[in-house]
Amino acid sequence: MVLLQILVKSMETLEKRKIDLRKQMKVLLKGMEPEEKKWLDHKVYVQALNNPELMNAKSIYAYMALSWETGTAELLEYFWNRGFQVALPKVLGDGMEFFEVNSMEDLEIGAFRIMEPKKHCEQVDWPEAVIMVPGIAFTRDGKRLGKGGGYYDKYLDRYPGHKTVAFAYEFQMIPELPAELHDQPVDYVITEKGSFFCK
């Protein structure tokens, strides 16, 4: 009984640390000047073009970043213009699936104000797809702090084997993160300063 109480208390403390870190990082992200963000987003895009996992992929599970996240729009346009197969996630209940998207025209505002594939888009199952993973904070060894919904962790647990690439500004890279057993690490993190292999 005492051991169970200690474990519960430890989990509560871990969750509180995650919540506090999300709040602090969101303040920094949302406080960026538009011109600075635009400049950094382009630098991250340039670094992404040097990432072999992305550039050699035939198919990509991507996402459209929120206004305060590290931008992905320029990279998506690059993929579409060069004939990559691209799919974006749609929230379905407490999980998500990926649907093929051929341009911005195939997107609409969905769950959590995130741009999602429209109803006509077809669900896909591409075992070789590289997954672009969003996040609030990362470590050099691939630990990731998401927004708290657990959608990517659950997806990667259900469909293991995909290579994963995350995008962040350099200030989102921190020395350590509170991690739980279900938290899924990423293979690469791309910032404005480089593309880092994490494993």
Side-chain angles (χ1 to χ4, degrees):
M1 187 67 177
V2 174
L3 180 59
L4 180 60
Q5 289 174 336
I6 292 171
L7 286 171
V8 169
K9 183 67 176 173
S10 176
M11 288 176 67
E12 288 174 351
T13 303
L14 191 64
E15 193 54 40
K16 186 180 184 309
R17 286 172 61 200
K18 285 185 171 184
I19 290 169
D20 290 344
L21 184 54
R22 283 190 191 101
K23 286 179 181 176
Q24 294 164 12
M25 198 59 76
K26 280 185 180 179
V27 168
L28 293 175
L29 287 163
K30 292 180 178 182
M32 294 178 69
E33 293 294 331
E35 283 304 311
E36 178 191 19
K37 186 181 188 306
K38 183 178 178 182
W39 178 73
L40 286 176
D41 283 346
H42 181 71
K43 293 198 77 171
V44 172
Y45 161 75
V46 170
Q47 294 293 347
L49 298 185
N50 294 318
N51 181 276
E53 290 294 347
L54 283 174
M55 293 303 108
N56 294 328
K58 293 179 181 176
S59 52
I60 308 278
Y61 285 171
Y63 67 94
M64 179 59 68
L66 293 169
S67 61
W68 49 270
E69 291 180 302
T70 311
T72 58
E74 193 172 9
L75 189 57
L76 287 176
E77 290 290 356
Y78 176 92
F79 290 145
W80 286 321
N81 290 337
R82 282 158 183 80
F84 284 69
Q85 286 184 309
V86 178
L88 269 70
K90 180 183 288 191
V91 171
L92 301 173
D94 64 348
M96 69 178 190
E97 296 294 340
F98 284 87
F99 295 76
E100 187 165 13
V101 171
N102 296 307
S103 72
M104 294 288 187
E105 305 271 314
D106 289 335
L107 297 174
E108 63 184 359
I109 296 174
F112 310 110
R113 308 297 295 170
I114 296 169
M115 298 299 286
E116 289 187 344
K118 291 180 178 177
K119 288 184 175 63
H120 69 265
C121 297
E122 292 188 13
Q123 186 175 336
V124 297
D125 179 16
W126 299 333
E128 302 300 317
V130 173
I131 302 182
M132 290 168 46
V133 183
I136 300 288
F138 301 90
T139 63
R140 298 286 181 195
D141 62 351
K143 291 191 185 78
R144 165 186 167 268
L145 180 68
K147 298 191 196 84
Y151 291 99
Y152 279 85
D153 290 324
K154 285 183 275 191
Y155 188 89
L156 291 167
D157 185 55
R158 279 191 299 135
Y159 303 104
H162 290 275
K163 294 293 184 182
T164 51
V165 180
F167 299 85
Y169 304 121
E170 195 66 28
F171 68 78
Q172 291 174 265
M173 304 299 297
I174 60 178
E176 190 51 68
L177 270 173
E180 298 175 76
L181 288 176
H182 64 263
D183 292 333
Q184 298 282 338
V186 295
D187 297 310
Y188 290 87
V189 180
I190 299 175
T191 76
E192 71 272 19
K193 292 191 176 179
S195 179
F196 305 97
F197 180 60
C198 301
K199 295 181 182 176

